[in-house]
Amino acid sequence: MSAPTIVAQIAVTSSKRLWSLPNEEAFCTAELMSGAGAVAQAIRQLPGFRPGCHIALNLPTSREWIEALLGAWFAQAVPAALNPYALPEELSFCIDELQAVGIIDLHGTEISAEVAPQIARISLCGSRSVHPSPLPGGAPIPPFDPRDCEQFHVDATLDALVLFTSGSSGRPKGVRLSHRGLVASVAGLTAGIEPRDEVFLLQAPMHHVFGVVTCLLALSTQSGAVLLPAFAATTMLEAIVRYRATISFGPPELFLGLSSCPGLARYDLRSFRRILVGGSPCRLAQLLEIERALGLETIFLSFGMTETTGGISLAPLRASDGRPRVHAGRPVPTIEVAVRCGDVLAGPGEEGELCFRGAHLLTGYLGQPEHGENDWLASGDLGLVDADGLLHVTDRIKDIIIKAGENISIAEVERVLLETGRVREVCVVGVPDERLGENVAAAVISTDSALNKRELQRLCQGKLLKSRIPQKIVFVDELPRLPTGKVARRAVRALILEDGKGKSVSP
Amino acid sequence: MTVQEIIDAMVPVFREVLDADDIELTEATTAEAIIEWDSLNHVQLLHSIEQRFGVEIPQAEAATFKNVGDMARAISVKLAPR
């Protein structure tokens, strides 16, 4: 393969159908490439366009999202996936960070001019049409020539994609991923799950690395796929039945939501055989319940981060002897894993910070120095590799909360709470939650005694995504501190759990 | 049942399913305003409301509700004698 990119692996001749919900539009890869060709032509016409420039994608999981991604690649631009549900302030911040030459969105749901006043727009309106036509006089865009795809060449070490993660500073961080990283990630997953005439259910959002990699995995393995713009349990179950979906990737909480869906027995889920879970810590009882309720053949467990271009490890829940055990997968051959305790390498079975190196890793963060090819990435997760070579994640050093697979920056939540003007000091922590894995909680010193939980939550609306607003809030006179003066987060967590046994409490 | 009576009867269902005993509802309450209401417990909430009132609310119909008032009015119509 002369150009090690995913594009070269996508079979344009595949006759497999893909479906985009909610309008149930069916299409094939060749049609997808046509749409991508039109997008590429539009991108090339943007003022300031040059190879390697950033183009922002503000689209839900849909056919148009894939066309925009591939179109950006054909134009030699670097697509950056925004969260289409993000609040204006966050979108504005991400667009500024990118210095993007244009933004692609859906005609009729364009990002507001206030969020991005200066930026050029490409609006996709329905399938295969770009509005307005980028060609002189609005001429129709010529059909895509599949040879363009075969002839697609790009240096695989160059950036392929920018995704934003919840940064420890409270602002999103742009993570630059390479074509090589995407290839390594997709190859690792392909070898691990050995696709066999699959129909993927793609419900993960495409601004999340999980979503992008699963979508590319489906395209490059000539699989069928169903694209869902958002999670809704009944829609997902109906899609499994209707399109005979066979496989899906997501956080455990999502599949637990499916397992506990009222009327589950009504759905014929026999086609749905395998899932891959990751993005959130797993518990054995939870996984066994998912396996039983959905009648699954295999649950793969995996670990990955945005910075590792998604999953770098996977293995089935059940070993060859059939016994289930929780782990975080077996590292794929193309990733190196080191477990570090300070400057010392930990031995097998010893806990330390998980560090990674290899083709999967980011090329760098936006606005920061490159991540060198031989540099290790410290994950911010504590864990170990056991005697069987399986990865285990035991704890987290980084300041994030993982709520149903969504990484939430503690710093962002604390900043918004302080900016309400009614909070003098705050400590935000993650507390265990049976349904969501973790939930957002806060211990607050308020400036006035009249403030209560609901009022504080209301003040956060429009400034924080709803999923990030603390559900459990404890009002205190002082925060527990370490001898160094820093807030003792563990003590705060214990205090919140003790107060109302984890339930929301008001003053 | 009047729309207000339906909303009053919905309050304990919301409180139980969403596990928050201080939830208050008015006609104007939106999903956005109830922090505990998310895409993962949405189906359970809808199902419990269906059971409480003995009606069926298809997913497609539920998606058209803009607020609690819309939901209560739809239930009111379903409960009305034909």
Side-chain angles (χ1 to χ4, degrees):
Chain A
M1 192 167 54
S2 59
T5 67
I6 290 293
V7 172
Q9 296 176 1
I10 298 176
V12 184
T13 52
S14 170
S15 59
K16 274 287 165 54
R17 303 305 284 175
L18 300 103
W19 296 274
S20 193
L21 300 185
N23 56 5
E24 303 184 1
E25 182 195 12
F27 54 99
C28 66
T29 325
E31 291 170 298
L32 202 58
M33 290 299 185
S34 269
V39 172
Q41 299 210 43
I43 290 173
R44 290 193 193 104
Q45 308 296 323
L46 291 172
F49 166 81
R50 64 194 183 285
C53 65
H54 289 142
I55 180 102
L57 274 47
N58 183 49
L59 299 160
T61 301
S62 58
R63 170 183 179 155
E64 287 81 5
W65 193 93
I66 309 177
E67 289 176 347
L69 177 85
L70 297 173
W73 285 345
F74 288 146
Q76 310 259 333
V78 179
L82 302 179
N83 175 357
Y85 308 106
L87 296 171
E89 192 197 356
E90 183 175 321
L91 284 174
S92 190
F93 176 84
C94 293
I95 292 168
D96 282 351
E97 285 285 288
L98 285 166
Q99 300 179 344
V101 298
I103 184 161
I104 305 182
D105 42 26
L106 281 182
H107 188 48
T109 60
E110 287 91 346
I111 209 163
S112 83
E114 285 166 21
V115 170
Q118 304 294 335
I119 201 163
R121 313 295 182 100
I122 295 174
S123 292
L124 303 183
C125 48
S127 54
R128 294 172 296 287
S129 69
V130 177
H131 174 82
S133 165
L135 301 184
I141 295 163
F144 176 73
D145 182 345
R147 281 175 301 185
D148 285 1
C149 184
E150 288 160 23
Q151 289 162 5
F152 177 76
H153 288 285
V154 67
D155 179 349
T157 62
L158 292 179
D159 288 3
L161 181 65
V162 177
L163 296 174
F164 286 90
T165 62
S166 42
S168 52
S169 65
R171 298 283 184 191
K173 265 196 305 193
V175 181
R176 298 162 45 214
L177 301 174
S178 67
H179 287 278
R180 189 176 62 171
L182 286 172
V183 170
S185 186
V186 169
L189 289 172
T190 306
I193 66 164
E194 297 177 351
R196 38 188 201 207
D197 205 18
E198 307 290 353
V199 176
F200 279 83
L201 198 57
L202 303 177
Q203 83 295 323
M206 292 295 173
H207 59 272
H208 193 288
V209 70
F210 228 18
V212 182
V213 170
T214 321
C215 175
L216 294 173
L217 176 64
L219 290 174
S220 65
T221 55
Q222 304 192 26
S223 303
V226 188
L227 303 162
L228 293 115
F231 172 78
T234 46
T235 312
M236 220 170 139
L237 291 168
E238 281 161 13
I240 292 172
V241 176
R242 176 145 196 195
Y243 302 104
R244 297 181 194 279
T246 60
I247 191 165
S248 184
F249 292 12
E253 293 80 13
L254 179 143
F255 296 110
L256 201 64
L258 283 191
S259 306
S260 60
C261 187
L264 180 69
R266 282 203 313 268
Y267 299 93
D268 177 0
L269 304 179
R270 278 175 297 178
S271 66
F272 196 60
R273 299 186 307 259
R274 306 192 291 169
I275 60 170
L276 181 144
V277 298
S280 202
C282 297
R283 284 170 289 129
L284 184 60
Q286 187 184 53
L287 294 169
L288 292 176
E289 172 55 19
I290 293 169
E291 183 185 56
R292 185 199 63 76
L294 301 179
L296 296 169
E297 184 186 299
T298 311
I299 296 180
F300 292 103
L301 307 180
S302 177
F303 175 84
M305 307 164 61
T306 307
E307 286 88 340
T308 60
T309 324
I312 46 92
S313 64
L314 84 162
L317 167 70
R318 291 183 185 274
S320 48
D321 61 7
R323 279 191 309 175
R325 59 186 284 219
V326 174
H327 50 78
R330 187 180 307 284
V332 299
T334 43
I335 196 86
E336 282 182 82
V337 182
V339 182
R340 287 211 188 129
C341 299
D343 292 336
V344 185
L345 280 180
E350 285 176 11
E351 190 186 72
E353 182 171 17
L354 298 172
C355 300
F356 304 108
R357 186 165 73 170
H360 298 252
L361 292 199
L362 74 168
T363 56
Y365 293 104
L366 280 182
Q368 289 186 28
E370 299 278 309
H371 184 89
E373 203 168 317
N374 294 313
D375 291 349
W376 288 91
L377 173 84
S379 67
D381 283 305
L382 288 179
L384 53 92
V385 178
D386 68 18
D388 295 329
L390 290 168
L391 198 65
H392 295 260
V393 179
T394 51
D395 205 348
R396 214 175 297 146
I397 312 167
K398 56 195 169 192
D399 282 343
I400 59 162
I401 295 165
I402 304 182
K403 179 179 175 183
E406 180 191 3
N407 288 6
I408 297 175
S409 159
I410 283 173
E412 182 195 7
V413 181
E414 290 183 345
R415 175 175 59 78
V416 172
L417 286 167
L418 288 170
E419 283 173 3
T420 61
R422 306 277 298 272
V423 169
R424 193 160 61 232
E425 283 183 63
V426 63
C427 177
V428 169
V429 293
V431 291
D433 186 294
E434 193 65 27
R435 192 172 62 84
L436 301 166
E438 271 189 315
N439 212 332
V440 186
V444 167
I445 304 175
S446 63
T447 56
D448 60 283
S449 57
L451 187 67
N452 63 31
K453 181 186 87 169
R454 291 298 186 197
E455 174 65 6
L456 186 52
Q457 288 175 332
R458 196 187 58 75
L459 291 170
C460 293
Q461 283 177 14
K463 300 183 178 75
L464 266 181
L465 278 181
K466 185 172 134 182
S467 56
R468 301 176 190 174
I469 297 175
Q471 280 191 21
K472 302 168 199 305
I473 299 177
V474 180
F475 290 88
V476 293
D477 294 329
E478 59 181 329
L479 293 169
R481 291 187 182 276
L482 298 167
T484 57
K486 283 175 70 175
V487 174
R489 289 193 183 275
R490 276 173 200 261
V492 169
R493 187 178 295 115
L495 187 127
I496 290 170
L497 289 173
E498 195 182 318
D499 205 332
K501 292 203 169 69
K503 285 203 167 203
S504 311
V505 287
S506 292
Chain B
M1 286 175 96
T2 65
V3 168
Q4 187 55 53
E5 284 168 345
I6 291 170
I7 291 176
D8 290 345
M10 279 159 73
V11 170
V13 181
F14 271 70
R15 288 181 176 180
E16 188 185 338
V17 176
L18 304 183
D19 193 22
D21 50 19
D22 59 348
I23 286 178
E24 302 289 350
L25 300 177
T26 68
E27 282 198 42
T29 306
T30 60
E32 195 55 35
I34 301 178
I35 305 300
E36 293 81 2
W37 191 351
D38 58 46
S39 62
L40 288 169
N41 57 26
H42 174 74
V43 177
Q44 186 59 56
L45 180 64
L46 210 59
H47 177 69
S48 298
I49 289 170
E50 286 178 325
Q51 284 198 318
R52 166 64 184 80
F53 296 102
V55 297
E56 259 190 59
I57 308 173
Q59 183 77 33
E61 185 184 0
T64 66
F65 301 154
K66 291 189 181 62
N67 52 37
V68 167
D70 282 355
M71 189 189 278
R73 276 184 289 278
I75 293 170
S76 167
V77 170
K78 289 172 197 288
L79 290 176
R82 301 191 176 216

